[in-house]
């Protein structure tokens, strides 16, 4: 009798152990699945993307890249459009902080003007990653890191090409991007640094055209009236302004790409097509597809890995020798 009870008791203990092991495996499996969704944790992570505007091919391609990558990795993305207003972008970031998103990707419209929003995110312990443009603050303190191109180097490459292909003598018009933005300041600095040792390179005028095709055309029309045939080079801080300038040059009976060299930055599809058509000479690539590297960086941050203060994305250089080859891969 005692032996029978002992065997039954042991059997019951074994059965209970098997049940507990199976339940534990199911919980472990469920935990693994949740961890894979949206980076880590038991719920889908919510991340914010504060875009400065969506009114041109470059910005649209950037927003799509962020959206596509978020969906691919299982994140919920809260995307906003500041509509070229720094004040609205400030409010957009504050709204994300109030919503308690897990992280914020920020493409700043201007270098200054967002310190308060960054401070609010910091106080809420929400990591901020600057995308494609820098903002005032200290990396590692006010934001995690900056992910983007080397804008000074882009300007330098454009300037070096210009000096070489004009034999160091040119009458130059510069169409600047958004006043006060880090990208406009840096692309200007790089270009001016590259030409400063060539006294024959004369800046006839340098005016903002706000990174848009319409503004580029309008500003260029006014500058043609002021400087006419003295213009032999147009350097623009982005392709949209370059394409507007080309229209103004053609309307004035000037010959862009030949009599007037057109040098730009971005590498969008319409610019590569303009190079193939002979209307533009060169454009330095600034790749807008930040999604993969942005989310890679965030997930490294979640794992506790050390994040560098700047993450620089390498860019190509397009001219008549290779533009046609990359048109199908461009945005």
């Amino acid at each position: 009798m005692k032996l029978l009870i002992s065997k039954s008791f042991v059997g019951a203990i074994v059965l209970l152990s098997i049940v507990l092991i199976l339940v534990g495996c199911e919980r472990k499996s469920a935990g693994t699945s949740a961890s894979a969704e949206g980076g880590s944790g038991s719920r889908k992570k919510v991340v914010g993307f504060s875009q400065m505007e969506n009114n041109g091919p470059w910005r649209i391609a950037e927003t799509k890249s962020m959206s596509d990558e978020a969906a691919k990795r299982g994140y919920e993305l809260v995307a906003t459009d500041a509509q070229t207003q720094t004040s609205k972008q400030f409010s957009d970031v504050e709204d994300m902080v109030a919503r308690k998103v897990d992280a914020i990707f920020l493409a700043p419209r201007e270098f200054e003007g967002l310190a308060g929003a960054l401070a609010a995110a910091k106080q809420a312990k929400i990591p901020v990653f600057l995308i494609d443009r820098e903002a005032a603050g200290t990396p590692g303190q006010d934001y995690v890191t900056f992910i983007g191109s080397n804008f000074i180097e882009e300007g330098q490459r454009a300037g070096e090409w210009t000096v070489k292909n004009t034999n160091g003598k040119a009458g130059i018009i510069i169409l600047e991007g958004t006043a006060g933005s880090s990208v406009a300041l840096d692309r200007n600095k790089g270009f001016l640094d590259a030409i400063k040792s060539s006294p024959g390179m004369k800046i006839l005028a340098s005016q903002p055209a706000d990174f848009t095709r319409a503004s580029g055309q309008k500003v260029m029309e006014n500058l043609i009236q002021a400087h006419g045939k003295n213009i032999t080079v147009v350097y623009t801080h982005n392709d949209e302004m370059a394409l507007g300038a080309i229209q103004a040059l053609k309307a004035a009976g000037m010959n862009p790409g030949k009599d007037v060299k057109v040098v730009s930055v971005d590498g969008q599809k319409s610019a590569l097509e303009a190079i193939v058509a002979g209307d533009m000479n060169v454009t330095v690539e600034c790749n807008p597809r930040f999604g993969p590297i942005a989310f890679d960086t965030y997930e490294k941050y979640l794992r506790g890995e050390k994040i560098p203060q700047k993450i620089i994305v390498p860019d190509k250089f397009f001219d008549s020798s290779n533009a046609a080859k990359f048109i199908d891969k461009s945005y």
Side-chain angles (χ1 to χ4, degrees):
M1 183 68 176
K2 287 183 180 179
L3 181 60
L4 179 61
I5 293 172
S6 175
K7 287 182 178 180
S8 299
F9 181 77
V10 170
I13 292 295
V14 171
L15 180 60
L16 179 60
S17 298
I18 292 171
V19 170
L20 289 174
I21 290 170
L22 290 174
V23 170
C25 289
E26 287 178 358
R27 286 180 177 175
K28 184 176 180 181
S29 176
T32 302
S33 178
S35 176
E37 183 179 36
S40 64
S42 59
R43 66 174 179 83
K44 177 180 285 191
K45 284 191 175 295
V46 181
V47 297
F49 175 49
S50 174
Q51 177 61 281
M52 57 162 285
E53 62 189 11
N54 273 307
N55 64 351
W58 198 97
R59 290 283 155 196
I60 292 170
E62 181 184 46
T63 300
K64 184 177 186 304
S65 177
M66 295 295 289
S67 178
D68 288 350
E69 196 65 23
K72 177 181 175 182
R73 300 189 188 213
Y75 291 88
E76 179 183 342
L77 185 71
V78 178
T80 58
D81 179 356
Q83 299 171 3
T84 73
Q85 302 171 49
T86 302
S87 59
K88 185 179 185 307
Q89 187 162 49
F90 188 105
S91 297
D92 289 343
V93 174
E94 285 195 321
D95 289 344
M96 291 176 186
V97 172
R99 182 169 174 167
K100 298 181 181 179
V101 298
D102 294 290
I104 296 172
F105 297 109
L106 171 62
R109 182 177 187 272
E110 296 180 18
F111 185 77
E112 303 286 350
L114 294 169
L118 290 174
K122 181 179 180 180
Q123 185 175 7
K125 294 182 170 49
I126 298 173
V128 176
F129 301 81
L130 301 186
I131 306 294
D132 88 63
R133 289 189 182 187
E134 297 186 73
T138 303
Q141 296 181 26
D142 302 299
Y143 55 89
V144 177
T145 187
F146 161 74
I147 305 171
S149 298
N150 186 328
F151 302 133
I152 292 178
E153 183 179 89
E154 289 172 349
Q156 287 174 335
R157 294 172 78 181
E160 289 166 359
W161 184 94
T162 303
V163 172
K164 181 178 179 180
N165 288 273
T166 60
N167 295 316
K169 186 175 181 180
I172 303 169
I173 295 293
I174 299 177
L175 298 186
E176 306 166 13
T178 304
S181 66
S182 65
V183 60
L185 294 170
D186 287 352
R187 285 177 183 169
N188 216 46
K189 174 176 169 42
F191 185 84
L192 295 178
D193 285 349
I195 70 171
K196 66 182 179 182
S197 59
S198 301
M201 307 295 283
K202 304 294 185 183
I203 305 298
L204 302 177
S206 184
Q207 291 187 16
D210 208 28
F211 286 121
T212 69
R213 190 178 304 200
S215 292
Q217 182 171 349
K218 183 176 180 180
V219 172
M220 193 68 218
E221 287 170 351
N222 294 334
L223 293 175
I224 289 171
Q225 291 181 0
H227 300 283
K229 299 296 183 181
N230 291 324
I231 302 170
T232 58
V233 170
V234 175
Y235 166 56
T236 67
H237 289 176
N238 85 332
D239 289 340
E240 283 294 290
M241 292 188 295
L243 294 167
I246 287 170
Q247 292 304 311
L249 289 165
K250 287 183 175 181
M254 303 174 79
N255 199 356
K258 299 176 180 64
D259 299 333
V260 180
K261 290 180 170 52
V262 180
V263 181
S264 183
V265 182
D266 266 358
Q268 68 186 49
K269 185 174 184 178
S270 52
L272 300 190
E273 290 171 341
I275 291 174
V276 172
D279 294 331
M280 187 184 295
N281 299 88
V282 300
T283 183
V284 184
E285 183 187 38
C286 184
N287 195 328
R289 299 183 179 100
F290 285 103
I293 191 169
F295 282 95
D296 278 349
T297 303
Y298 175 44
E299 291 177 359
K300 287 178 182 178
Y301 172 86
L302 291 176
R303 294 193 294 269
E305 297 182 27
K306 185 177 180 180
I307 306 299
Q309 294 185 349
K310 285 189 177 184
I311 300 172
I312 302 302
V313 180
D315 294 314
K316 299 180 179 67
F317 187 92
F318 301 115
D319 59 17
S320 59
S321 70
N322 66 350
K325 182 170 64 176
F326 287 97
I327 285 178
D328 290 341
K329 299 177 183 177
S330 57
Y331 59 94

